[in-house]
Amino acid sequence: MTEVTHILSAIERGDPQASDQLLPLVYDELRRLAAQRLARESPGQTLEATALVHEAYLRLVDVEKAQQWNSRGHFFAAAAQAMRRILIDNARDKKRLKRGGGRNQVDLDDAELVYQSSHQDLIDLEDALDGLAAEAPDAAQLVRLRHFAGLSVEEAAEMVGIARSVAYEHWAYARAWLRCRLQEEESSGS
């Protein structure tokens, strides 16, 4: 049993000090995942990698909501999922009128009008992934790990627990399915 897996088991048992031991061991990898994900976000993203890591970590090791971690890979898959959820919640918040949704953003340094970053794309993708998950849960999980955590097909396959060849089949299917679904939504004006 690796040190990370051992500490995850201690967290599962409710040991409050175990989460303090875990962070130094996983921080660099979580930070790398967060930085990769944020690099693919639209301009105007206000979250930084450090804040994303800390928020996701707090959600993962909440002692009052004890979670079971089968392995180190399971933990990092859950971390990617938590980061994805945070980014989606952030995108939905930005769309709300009380948070300035629907208004053009202005760069105050040079007072030029800038294009509003579209958070709708992220929300549309999440809605489409929910539909895909109803039909093909492993394929949807694979897409989430690839898109939101920046994992390769091979790394995502390992996290999901499927063979590499099956992962490539799921990836091809999911891409085609999502392309059709997103094009349907775009043409219907949703």
Side-chain angles (χ1 to χ4, degrees), residues 62-136:
D62 186 355
V63 178
E64 294 179 15
K65 297 178 188 172
Q67 299 182 31
Q68 287 189 302
W69 309 110
N70 300 333
S71 65
R72 182 178 188 280
H74 184 219
F75 175 79
F76 282 104
Q81 184 82 350
M83 288 179 194
R84 178 185 63 80
R85 179 63 32 216
I86 291 164
L87 289 170
I88 290 167
D89 290 346
N90 192 40
R92 284 191 173 126
D93 283 347
K94 284 185 176 188
K95 282 189 59 176
R96 291 192 179 101
L97 287 177
K98 79 177 200 176
R99 303 234 188 243
R103 296 186 188 138
N104 288 331
Q105 298 178 4
V106 176
D107 184 352
L108 296 179
D109 290 336
D110 55 14
E112 288 184 31
L113 191 61
V114 295
Y115 293 104
Q116 178 182 358
S117 59
S118 173
H119 298 288
Q120 187 61 43
D121 293 339
L122 183 61
I123 294 168
D124 289 346
L125 177 60
E126 176 62 15
D127 292 342
L129 279 171
D130 288 342
L132 177 61
E135 288 186 29

Side-chain angles (χ1 to χ4, degrees), residues 15-184:
D15 181 354
Q17 293 155 353
S19 63
D20 293 337
Q21 297 168 350
L22 179 64
L23 186 58
L25 296 175
V26 298
Y27 184 80
D28 289 339
E29 195 163 346
L30 288 175
R31 181 102 168 55
R32 183 184 59 78
L33 284 173
Q36 285 175 345
R37 180 60 203 128
L38 288 172
R40 285 183 269 147
E41 283 295 304
S42 308
Q45 177 59 256
T46 56
L47 276 176
E48 293 181 0
T50 302
L52 184 57
V53 167
H54 287 252
E55 180 66 28
Y57 186 78
L58 288 174
R59 290 183 184 192
L60 291 170
V61 297
D62 186 355
V63 178
E64 294 179 15
K65 297 178 188 172
Q67 299 182 31
Q68 287 189 302
W69 309 110
N70 300 333
S71 65
R72 182 178 188 280
H74 184 219
F75 175 79
F76 282 104
Q81 184 82 350
M83 288 179 194
R84 178 185 63 80
R85 179 63 32 216
I86 291 164
L87 289 170
I88 290 167
D89 290 346
N90 192 40
R92 284 191 173 126
D93 283 347
K94 284 185 176 188
K95 282 189 59 176
R96 291 192 179 101
L97 287 177
K98 79 177 200 176
R99 303 234 188 243
R103 296 186 188 138
N104 288 331
Q105 298 178 4
V106 176
D107 184 352
L108 296 179
D109 290 336
D110 55 14
E112 288 184 31
L113 191 61
V114 295
Y115 293 104
Q116 178 182 358
S117 59
S118 173
H119 298 288
Q120 187 61 43
D121 293 339
L122 183 61
I123 294 168
D124 289 346
L125 177 60
E126 176 62 15
D127 292 342
L129 279 171
D130 288 342
L132 177 61
E135 288 186 29
D138 285 346
Q141 181 67 11
L142 188 78
V143 171
R144 286 181 168 127
L145 290 169
R146 295 241 337 145
H147 184 73
F148 293 102
L151 300 180
S152 67
V153 173
E154 293 84 5
E155 292 168 329
E158 185 179 322
M159 296 254 182
V160 175
I162 57 177
R164 182 183 303 183
S165 60
V166 173
Y168 277 104
E169 290 172 9
H170 284 335
W171 178 241
Y173 172 76
R175 286 177 47 207
W177 193 96
L178 289 169
R179 185 177 299 120
C180 288
R181 175 73 175 264
L182 292 170
Q183 285 173 347
E184 285 173 7

